[in-house]
């Protein structure tokens, strides 16, 4: 549109070609790189990553969806990625970027004729969970950040704002018109949504699609009851709610490679006794089941 730069995305899709191991970014994936697509009228699931990540952040979920007959497309949210966090607080940009990804997939992607355009789902984690709730019709009230941080100055969000020198009233003057829904999204999976407390029942009254909501019991980054539980209570229709015992915030990211574990211990270290690989097998099975039921 002349204002926003081009976006980077990754696309996973069904194919009948044999797979080989590919080192893609920080992960190794078994894929048939560039092979022709298989099947028609395929439902589409778009993926929105958490803060400071990239389109690769949920590659295992994308692969599981592709194996199940979906096309999964994930965008790197410009301004909120591992190599550029310069616009992380311009939260309204994220739903628009997800909208641009859907536009591309349905209107420009070379295999768009294999998609079932009326069947679009969305998955988001953390900042991505916030993004997906907005895309589903949610309108956050960021003015709620100030009283939240006044009452909870030691919580991670409030510490981060303070460290960055950002006033907690930064969301005071954001007009509601900036939060745009995408009516093409028919079902959504939301994991550990950021700024959950900013969504009131009035702010979520237009979210009428089926929602699968995930909560990590040991999420100290976004502590209970201000995030997932706040969203659960504010949604007009009860979501399918999963509470994962002993899981931490970053357990929604795939198991780390040894190399990544050395450089990113904060996101790779699991709570004692928690099996991230086993959890992801279950997580991906439940996400596939949910989208099969609703797309």
């Amino acid at each position: 549109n002349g204002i926003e730069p081009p976006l980077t995305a990754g696309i996973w899709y069904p194919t009948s070609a044999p797979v080989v191991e590919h080192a893609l970014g920080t992960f190794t994936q078994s894929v048939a790189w560039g092979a022709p697509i298989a099947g028609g009228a395929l439902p589409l699931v778009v993926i929105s990553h958490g803060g400071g990540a990239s389109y690769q952040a949920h590659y295992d979920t994308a692969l599981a969806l592709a194996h199940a007959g979906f096309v999964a497309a994930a965008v790197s949210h410009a301004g909120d990625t591992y190599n550029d966090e310069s616009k992380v607080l311009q939260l309204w940009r994220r739903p628009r970027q997800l909208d641009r990804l859907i536009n591309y997939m349905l209107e420009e992607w070379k295999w768009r004729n294999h998609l079932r355009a009326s069947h679009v789902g969305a998955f988001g984690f953390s900042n991505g969970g916030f993004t997906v709730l907005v895309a589903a019709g949610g309108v956050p009230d960021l003015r709620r950040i100030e009283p939240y941080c006044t009452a909870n100055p030691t919580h991670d969000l409030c510490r981060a704002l303070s460290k960055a020198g950002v006033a907690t009233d930064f969301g005071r003057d954001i007009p509601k018109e900036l939060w745009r829904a995408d009516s093409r999204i028919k079902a959504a999976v939301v994991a550990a949504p950021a700024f959950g407390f900013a969504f009131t029942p009035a702010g979520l009254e237009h979210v009428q699609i089926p929602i699968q909501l995930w909560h990590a019991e040991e999420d100290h980054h976004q502590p209970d009851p201000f995030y997932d539980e706040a969203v659960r209570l504010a949604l007009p229709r009860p979501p399918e709610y999963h509470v994962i015992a002993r899981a931490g915030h970053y357990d929604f990211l795939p198991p780390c490679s040894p190399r990544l574990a050395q450089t990113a211990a904060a996101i790779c270290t699991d709570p004692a006794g928690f099996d991230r690989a086993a959890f992801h097998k279950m997580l991906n099975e439940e996400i596939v089941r949910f989208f099969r039921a609703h797309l």
Side-chain angles (χ1 to χ4, degrees):
N1 57 11
I3 301 169
E4 290 278 357
L7 296 170
T8 301
I11 304 167
W12 293 256
Y13 53 85
T15 181
S16 51
V19 300
V20 292
E21 291 275 298
H22 276 273
L24 300 168
T26 50
F27 301 102
T28 299
Q29 305 178 38
S30 296
V31 293
W33 183 272
I37 195 169
L42 303 172
L44 169 67
V45 175
V46 292
I47 296 173
S48 178
H49 63 74
S54 77
Y55 74 84
Q56 302 175 47
H58 302 281
Y59 80 92
D60 66 320
T61 300
L63 272 173
L65 286 163
H67 279 294
F70 296 81
V71 173
V75 65
S76 287
H77 284 289
D80 188 11
T81 60
Y82 69 96
N83 62 352
D84 175 20
E85 295 189 74
S86 60
K87 297 177 180 174
V88 64
L89 292 180
Q90 295 179 21
L91 293 163
W92 57 89
R93 296 172 72 250
R94 280 175 143 265
R96 294 184 181 193
Q97 291 171 356
L98 203 64
D99 178 79
R100 284 173 62 191
L101 177 64
I102 298 173
N103 289 345
Y104 172 80
M105 293 301 297
L106 298 183
E107 298 167 14
E108 297 180 50
W109 187 47
K110 65 178 176 179
W111 286 317
R112 61 189 178 277
N113 291 336
H114 290 257
L115 294 172
R116 194 171 180 183
S118 58
H119 289 61
V120 179
F123 165 78
F125 160 67
S126 199
N127 281 11
F130 172 91
T131 302
V132 166
L133 283 171
V134 172
V139 178
D141 181 0
L142 297 187
R143 293 173 300 180
R144 295 172 70 87
I145 294 171
E146 188 171 23
Y148 168 75
C149 284
T150 299
N152 305 285
T154 62
H155 285 190
D156 281 10
L157 168 66
C158 309
R159 279 182 168 169
L161 291 174
S162 177
K163 187 178 176 184
V166 175
T168 53
D169 65 352
F170 76 88
R172 183 179 54 194
D173 300 320
I174 297 174
K176 285 187 176 180
E177 298 72 46
L178 277 179
W179 307 109
R180 287 195 204 150
D182 193 321
S183 61
R184 295 172 295 186
I185 295 173
K186 302 296 192 246
V189 176
V190 175
F195 302 98
F197 59 84
F199 292 103
T200 63
L204 291 181
E205 65 181 346
H206 297 299
V207 179
Q208 295 294 333
I209 62 171
I211 300 286
Q212 186 186 66
L213 181 64
W214 291 82
H215 169 62
E217 191 178 57
E218 300 296 325
D219 191 336
H220 304 302
H221 180 64
Q222 295 180 179
D224 224 19
F226 303 102
Y227 291 86
D228 321 333
E229 184 67 6
V231 168
R232 184 181 75 85
L233 293 174
L235 283 166
R237 293 171 53 175
E240 179 188 303
Y241 194 40
H242 295 262
V243 178
I244 307 306
R246 298 197 304 279
H249 184 73
Y250 296 107
D251 284 310
F252 290 108
L253 298 174
C256 295
S257 65
R259 184 163 62 97
L260 186 60
Q262 285 184 333
T263 57
I267 65 170
C268 294
T269 306
D270 299 324
F274 187 77
D275 186 337
R276 193 184 299 201
F279 166 55
H280 271 254
K281 184 175 184 295
M282 184 272 284
L283 171 74
N284 293 332
E285 286 172 355
E286 289 297 310
I287 289 173
V288 165
R289 178 194 55 74
F290 175 80
F291 281 130
R292 275 187 170 148
H294 297 291
L295 293 183

